[in-house]
Amino acid sequence: MNQKLFIYQLLPRLFGNSISTNKINGSLEENGTGKFNDISDTVLQKIKASGYTHVWYIGVLAHASTSNYTAYGLPAEYPEIIKGKAGSPYAVRDYYDVDPDLAVDVPGRMVEFEALIRRTHAAGLKVIIDNIPNHVARNYHSVCKPEGVKDFGEGDNTSQAFSPRNNFYYIPGQALEIESPLKRTTGPAYNEIPAKATGNDCFSHKPTRFDWYETVKLNYGVDYLNGKQGHFNPIPDTWVKMRNILLYWAEKDVDGFRCDMAEMVPLAFWRWAIPQVKDKFPGIIFLAEIYNPSAYRNFLADNTFDYLYDKVGLYDTLRDVSCGYRPSSDITFALNDVGDIQHRMLNFMENHDEQRVASDFFMKEGTKGKAAMIVSCCVGTNPVMVYAGQELGEKGMDEEGFSGRDGRTTIFDYWSVDTLRRWNNNGLWDKSQLTGEEKELQEFYRRLITLCNGEAALADGLFYDLMPANYDNQEFDSTRLFAFFRGDKKDLLLVVANFDNRVRECTIQIPEHAFTFFEIADTGKGMLKPLLHVENKELSFSSGFPFRISLDPYSGEIYRIVY
């Protein structure tokens, strides 16, 4: 039986932080930070026992922050080019270093991260880290690069706006003028002459506060100001540098890369670099953050990327259905749009960029996301991701500082997360201080995820949509309910989700073709055995006649058909 990938995404800076001060715009000293060492054997075993196969550690790479580590030989920082006190994990200041905030012993920070990789593997989990290929921190400077490696920008001809031999794009003769919310009050100001292009393809020396002003864009040989002409022969220097960075981390025994904003980097680079990494590390996976459906199949062709974000398809649809903005039947169309590649799409209902399910901007309660999670986890063999705290109903409604109260958990500020802090309980993960409702939701996630890899029909089986057969069924509301089969030649599972805010009773029409599709003999009568909520009663099942089931609000059930 093949195994579905279940990815648990966590930001170590937040995950293990037990300090509850949470001062708005607080410093590292005031609000504290989680450490690599906080991700202990105990908590990794709990993550494994909850059904996950991979952990995606974000914020591992050294990124610009306002904390001063010059005593350890690290460069001085400039607050006016940093978002928040902790800084964005996606403004990397050294591709060959890890974040010193996460180390108990700063000089031994890489040793501590390598120990975390070993602990993760010992727990039976695999490690994913970010690759951030499109942009770097404005003050990028590697102090940990291997001997003989040249820094990005070292040797650039800064008099040229574009050269395929440069690592950056320049605005010659113009000094950088950032519309930044922060101005340095002590120490030297940050100066950049000539200004470099900003990471979100802003080719101006005056990026606004809405731009990614803390970053500069890397040059992969694409002339953006002349019709995006590609200059890929000879191979651009940036290609070589980035491939070597991927190999450096692969040699650290990481098992995969989530590639940030992958479509902002030319596909030609990925088709050149990824096969070289996979040739040396055959089991490694590449996951692309991508939002352009017209590019999906190109990024998957020839096994370049293994998996892609399914944000603008299934995520957006499930969010709208959950909120009552669209009918549940639209889920069918979202799945059909990626039908041939659905097994390579990453499903999720939260990540660090999206609003929390339990936030006031989404469902307001984590328990109301159950139906969406049942569909996300069960529709296919593709990977599924959960963001740390999602399974506890974390609301993400803190006003942390730079991030503000936006329904997201900050990635820019030193902070601790209420639900994670109470689960952590100063490292006593076995003695959590969660409420009964939080424990129930956590158990729901555990049960759902472990079922998906415990049942071959869910992990490795085929999908059969029951919605077309029920559009005209007066006893089935195709605006709020969603039903499908997952099965193989041995087992047939019925999955039904209720996106309504009240208990719904329904009948489900099953066409004869469904049984022949799964090559299962229909003997007429049997039982429906609940697998997700085992306290539910078994129901009589008859394929020839409609059978009635009852579903809790914003929830659902997985039934095994037993003859």
Side-chain angles (χ1 to χ4, degrees):
M1 180 178 77
N2 292 326
Q3 190 177 47
K4 279 172 65 78
L5 275 61
F6 278 94
I7 301 169
Y8 192 71
Q9 181 196 4
L10 67 86
L11 176 58
R13 186 207 303 151
L14 297 174
F15 188 75
N17 190 6
S18 296
I19 297 175
S20 60
T21 306
N22 280 354
K23 176 182 177 181
I24 295 176
N25 287 314
S27 67
L28 169 64
E29 291 74 20
E30 291 168 323
N31 285 352
T33 180
K35 305 289 185 180
F36 291 133
N37 289 355
D38 292 325
I39 306 168
S40 63
D41 291 327
T42 299
V43 72
L44 287 167
Q45 289 160 7
K46 284 186 170 293
I47 293 171
K48 174 65 175 178
S50 296
Y52 297 96
T53 61
H54 292 66
V55 183
W56 168 20
Y57 296 113
I58 69 172
V60 165
L61 300 183
H63 51 273
S65 77
T66 60
S67 296
N68 188 338
Y69 288 100
T70 54
Y72 297 95
L74 300 180
E77 298 283 12
Y78 300 86
E80 64 267 35
I81 56 166
I82 296 170
K83 289 183 176 178
K85 291 290 178 71
S88 168
Y90 296 94
V92 176
R93 62 163 178 77
D94 189 342
Y95 278 119
Y96 290 99
D97 197 5
V98 295
D99 182 11
D101 283 349
L102 305 179
V104 175
D105 174 48
V106 173
R109 57 193 178 276
M110 186 64 78
V111 172
E112 291 184 23
F113 178 60
E114 290 168 346
L116 174 59
I117 295 175
R118 290 192 297 273
R119 284 199 303 279
T120 307
H121 288 162
L125 296 159
K126 293 187 176 181
V127 174
I128 297 173
I129 65 168
D130 281 297
N131 169 246
I132 300 132
N134 175 68
H135 48 268
V136 296
R138 292 215 90 96
N139 61 329
Y140 183 91
H141 174 62
S142 176
V143 297
C144 292
K145 61 185 184 295
E147 186 176 351
V149 172
K150 290 187 176 181
D151 234 349
F152 283 99
E154 187 178 340
D156 274 10
N157 182 345
T158 61
S159 68
Q160 293 183 297
F162 166 78
S163 167
R165 292 180 292 276
N166 283 350
N167 296 135
F168 299 122
Y169 298 92
Y170 297 91
I171 299 94
Q174 300 289 340
L176 177 70
E177 298 178 34
I178 294 179
E179 182 191 336
S180 170
L182 289 175
K183 300 296 180 184
R184 179 175 284 275
T185 56
T186 60
Y190 178 77
N191 293 305
E192 187 177 290
I193 306 175
K196 303 181 186 77
T198 299
N200 61 319
D201 295 355
C202 173
F203 292 85
S204 166
H205 70 291
K206 294 183 177 181
T208 73
R209 65 183 184 277
F210 303 109
D211 290 306
W212 303 349
Y213 62 79
E214 79 280 24
T215 69
V216 293
K217 185 171 179 66
L218 286 173
N219 173 4
Y220 283 81
V222 178
D223 190 350
Y224 280 83
L225 301 182
N226 286 289
K228 295 186 177 180
Q229 295 180 42
H231 299 262
F232 305 150
N233 187 13
I235 295 297
D237 181 67
T238 302
W239 288 30
V240 176
K241 282 186 166 72
M242 191 56 65
R243 177 205 59 193
N244 292 345
I245 288 164
L246 289 166
L247 288 169
Y248 173 84
W249 289 103
E251 288 166 359
K252 296 283 185 188
D253 213 17
V254 303
D255 304 288
F257 296 100
R258 176 267 191 185
C259 299
D260 184 71
M261 299 304 299
E263 61 192 308
M264 296 184 75
V265 171
L267 179 57
F269 163 73
W270 296 118
R271 288 179 170 171
W272 175 83
I274 290 177
Q276 295 182 60
V277 179
K278 288 188 172 184
D279 183 59
K280 290 189 175 181
F281 302 93
I284 206 160
I285 64 170
F286 282 81
L287 165 63
E289 180 192 18
I290 183 169
Y291 301 105
N292 177 13
S294 67
Y296 284 177
R297 288 159 183 83
N298 290 334
F299 273 73
L300 292 172
D302 302 318
N303 291 314
T304 303
F305 278 93
D306 298 286
Y307 305 105
L308 310 178
Y309 266 38
D310 197 356
K311 194 274 181 191
V312 300
L314 189 61
Y315 168 85
D316 284 351
T317 303
L318 286 173
R319 176 168 178 146
D320 285 351
V321 171
S322 297
C323 294
Y325 305 146
R326 295 166 67 177
S328 52
S329 54
D330 278 8
I331 299 169
T332 292
F333 303 116
L335 295 173
N336 287 343
D337 285 343
V338 292
D340 58 317
I341 57 172
Q342 204 271 332
H343 60 293
R344 298 176 68 181
M345 305 301 293
L346 174 72
N347 294 352
F348 54 83
M349 290 309 300
E350 284 188 10
N351 64 45
H352 66 280
D353 287 319
E354 308 302 336
Q355 289 171 325
R356 293 283 194 176
V357 170
S359 76
D360 292 354
F361 301 96
F362 196 166
M363 296 300 292
K364 297 186 178 181
E365 296 176 26
T367 55
K368 292 181 179 180
K370 288 182 178 180
M373 277 308 299
I374 290 169
V375 174
S376 287
C377 289
C378 296
V379 290
T381 60
N382 54 302
V384 179
M385 181 169 70
V386 172
Y387 188 32
Q390 175 185 342
E391 77 281 21
L392 307 175
E394 170 58 40
K395 298 182 75 67
M397 290 300 296
D398 293 339
E399 186 175 356
E400 304 101 338
F402 184 88
S403 183
R405 187 176 287 113
D406 60 359
R408 299 173 178 86
T409 296
T410 183
I411 62 171
F412 305 105
D413 304 281
Y414 292 112
W415 203 254
S416 68
V417 180
D418 174 57
T419 51
L420 292 176
R421 188 174 65 247
R422 288 185 288 107
W423 181 33
N424 174 351
N425 191 18
N426 294 301
L428 301 175
W429 300 92
D430 289 315
K431 299 178 181 178
S432 72
Q433 298 176 340
L434 298 175
T435 66
E437 185 175 89
E438 289 163 345
K439 290 178 180 178
E440 187 278 329
L441 185 60
Q442 188 182 43
E443 174 59 19
F444 164 81
Y445 273 81
R446 187 203 67 78
R447 182 68 180 162
L448 175 62
I449 291 170
T450 54
L451 264 177
C452 284
N453 269 331
E455 295 289 337
L458 293 174
D460 205 23
L462 298 175
F463 169 85
Y464 188 96
D465 193 351
L466 290 169
M467 297 300 284
N470 286 276
Y471 287 143
D472 297 326
N473 179 0
Q474 298 300 313
E475 299 292 322
F476 185 93
D477 184 353
S478 60
T479 68
R480 305 308 298 148
L481 304 175
F482 192 74
F484 56 93
F485 274 146
R486 291 294 308 284
D488 53 22
K489 296 179 181 180
K490 296 180 180 179
D491 279 317
L492 188 58
L493 305 184
L494 171 66
V495 185
V496 193
N498 174 19
F499 290 92
D500 208 351
N501 60 2
R502 60 189 175 92
V503 173
R504 297 298 296 266
E505 290 192 353
C506 66
T507 64
I508 301 175
Q509 302 278 6
I510 299 177
E512 292 182 12
H513 175 260
F515 295 96
T516 57
F517 177 78
F518 290 105
E519 299 182 38
I520 289 179
D522 174 23
T523 61
K525 294 183 178 181
M527 300 295 292
L528 292 175
K529 181 179 180 180
L531 300 180
L532 185 55
H533 302 98
V534 293
E535 68 277 9
N536 287 348
K537 294 181 180 179
E538 292 188 358
L539 303 175
S540 296
F541 165 79
S542 177
S543 58
F545 299 92
F547 53 93
R548 183 170 292 276
I549 62 175
S550 178
L551 299 165
D552 288 338
Y554 300 113
S555 190
E557 186 56 274
I558 304 168
Y559 293 99
R560 188 195 314 278
I561 298 178
V562 181
Y563 288 109

